[in-house]
Amino acid sequence: MIRVDLSLLVLIYLGLMVGPVLFLWLLNELRRQRREKAAFRHVLRCGMCSFEFEDRTETLLPKCPRCSSLTERYPISSL
């Protein structure tokens, strides 16, 4: 028979119960971030009027629908 202290037994029990929950939460968070990044792939922000619009064309400099200025394609940073 293997002798185990009560504190070690509680630690093993908590590890077995909380570990999978923590792993599933982390996996879900990574999947959510990937979906969010894919959703904002075609969103652009105008440098003149700060209007955010969606442009799925492959043009190098799309026009802003609000002020008609040419907009460069760079990723929108999120906080």
Side-chain angles (χ1 to χ4, degrees):
M1 189 162 152
I2 300 172
R3 300 188 108 204
V4 179
D5 291 333
L6 182 60
S7 61
L8 183 61
L9 191 62
V10 169
L11 183 67
I12 292 171
Y13 178 74
L14 284 175
L16 289 175
M17 293 298 132
V18 176
V21 173
L22 182 64
F23 176 74
L24 291 174
W25 172 77
L26 184 64
L27 185 66
N28 188 34
E29 186 67 23
L30 292 174
R31 290 178 64 213
R32 185 193 62 80
Q33 287 178 358
R34 189 181 315 152
R35 284 191 310 261
E36 187 175 300
K37 185 177 178 182
F40 285 109
R41 183 177 297 146
H42 300 289
V43 175
L44 302 171
R45 180 180 290 147
C46 177
M48 299 298 285
C49 66
S50 297
F51 181 66
E52 291 183 358
F53 61 97
E54 184 175 1
D55 182 48
R56 292 190 179 267
T57 64
E58 296 298 324
T59 58
L60 190 59
L61 294 170
K63 281 191 171 185
C64 173
R66 181 182 282 174
C67 66
S68 298
S69 67
L70 296 178
T71 305
E72 291 185 34
R73 291 187 180 271
Y74 28 170
I76 295 177
S77 62
S78 62
L79 295 176

